[in-house]
Amino acid sequence: MASSLQLQIQTYQALKDGYYPIVLGGDHSQAIGSISGMKQMFPQGKIIWVDAHIDANTPSSSPSGNAHGMPLSYLSGIVPTYQHWKCVNMEKDLCYFGIRSYEEEEVALIKDKQVLVFDSAECSLNKIDSIHAQIHRYFRHNAEKSKYWISFDIDGVDSSEFMSTGTDEGNGLKLDFTLKLFERFIPQTVGMDFTEVNFELTKGAQRVKD
C-alpha cells in the first residue's frame, strides 16, 4: 500500500498549501490515499461517493479480491489488518449516488450503518433541490465548517451517455444530473477523485468484474 500512503501525504500537503486536488486514477482504490489525506486535513470532512458499486467489500466477501472493490472497508476500519487507514465513519461521513452492483455483505453493511443512498432512478434534474437539502440535513451541514470531498467513478454514469468505463453496470446516473450535482456541490468541496475513465474502451470491449 505504498502508493496509497504516498497519495495520502500528497493530498494532505496539497490541501494544507491551499490547493484544490483533483486526483486522477485508474481505479477507485485511489480513494484510500486521497480520502485519508483529506480526513487528515479536515477530520469532519464528508464524502459524496458516486459509483455503480458500494466498494466496501472485504477480502472474505470479494469475489475478485480486487482492491478497487474495497476502499471503503479500509477507510472505515472493517478490515482488521488495515486499521491504520480508519478515518471514515460510515454513519456520519458518507452518502452514495448511483450504486447498483454489490455483494450481500455490502448491502447489509450500509443498511446497518443507515448510510444515505440515492438510487439512479430518483436522480433527476427536477429533484436536485430536494436532494441538495436532504444531503445537508443528513450531514447536519454547517456552511462555515462542513467540507465535502467528491469521490467520482465514471461507472456511476449510465454507459449509454458515457461509455468509457470497464465496469458497465447499466441504468446509471444521467450525465445532465451528474453535472448539476457537481455544479451544486463543487463550491463546497475541497477536492475530488476522478477515476476509471478509459477513453480507449468502446461498447463491446472487455469488461472487468468488480
Side-chain angles (χ1 to χ4, degrees), residues 49-89:
W49 193 277
V50 182
D51 200 329
H53 309 96
I54 293 176
D55 282 354
N57 265 313
T58 64
S60 61
S61 70
S62 171
S64 67
N66 290 327
H68 64 241
M70 305 185 198
L72 282 165
S73 68
Y74 286 49
L75 291 166
S76 60
I78 297 170
V79 182
T81 52
Y82 294 106
Q83 283 287 310
H84 56 285
W85 290 113
K86 184 177 180 180
C87 60
V88 172
N89 183 335

Side-chain angles (χ1 to χ4, degrees), residues 8 24 30 42 53 72 80 93 110 112 115 118 129 134-135 138 143 163 177 190-191 194 202:
Q8 177 193 52
L24 307 178
Q30 72 178 53
F42 301 108
H53 309 96
L72 282 165
D93 295 340
I110 63 172
D112 178 62
V115 180
F118 293 97
D129 289 336
Q134 190 174 347
I135 290 173
Y138 175 71
M163 295 185 291
F177 175 85
V190 295
F194 193 85
T202 57

Side-chain angles (χ1 to χ4, degrees), residues 31 129 162 191 206:
D129 289 336
F162 201 109
Q206 184 176 0

Side-chain angles (χ1 to χ4, degrees), residues 39-200:
K39 293 289 277 186
Q40 186 178 357
M41 183 69 188
F42 301 108
Q44 302 304 314
K46 309 302 182 185
I47 302 149
I48 297 172
W49 193 277
V50 182
D51 200 329
H53 309 96
I54 293 176
D55 282 354
N57 265 313
T58 64
S60 61
S61 70
S62 171
S64 67
N66 290 327
H68 64 241
M70 305 185 198
L72 282 165
S73 68
Y74 286 49
L75 291 166
S76 60
I78 297 170
V79 182
T81 52
Y82 294 106
Q83 283 287 310
H84 56 285
W85 290 113
K86 184 177 180 180
C87 60
V88 172
N89 183 335
M90 293 188 77
E91 296 171 306
K92 297 180 179 179
D93 295 340
L94 175 71
C95 75
Y96 282 106
F97 279 88
I99 56 172
R100 54 203 187 276
S101 176
Y102 32 73
E103 310 308 322
E104 290 182 7
E105 293 89 343
E106 294 179 295
V107 175
L109 174 67
I110 63 172
K111 285 184 177 179
D112 178 62
K113 300 297 185 183
Q114 298 184 329
V115 180
L116 179 63
V117 176
F118 293 97
D119 185 83
S120 300
E122 65 182 301
C123 292
S124 57
L125 285 178
N126 66 340
K127 294 183 178 178
I128 192 69
D129 289 336
S130 62
I131 288 172
H132 194 178
Q134 190 174 347
I135 290 173
H136 280 186
R137 289 193 301 271
Y138 175 71
F139 286 136
R140 295 183 173 88
H141 175 73
N142 182 315
E144 299 299 320
K145 297 180 180 179
S146 293
K147 308 293 183 185
Y148 289 90
W149 182 273
I150 294 176
S151 202
F152 175 69
D153 186 327
I154 193 60
D155 64 31
V157 176
D158 196 287
S159 61
S160 67
E161 300 193 4
F162 201 109
M163 295 185 291
S164 300
T165 175
T167 50
D168 175 12
E169 301 295 352
N171 300 316
L173 300 171
K174 297 302 182 184
L175 196 55
D176 58 357
F177 175 85
T178 306
L179 294 174
K180 181 60 71 173
L181 182 71
F182 286 0
E183 181 184 307
R184 285 294 184 94
F185 277 94
I186 282 178
Q188 299 169 254
T189 61
V190 295
M192 67 182 297
D193 293 308
F194 193 85
T195 186
E196 296 198 26
V197 177
N198 185 342
F199 292 110
E200 293 184 355

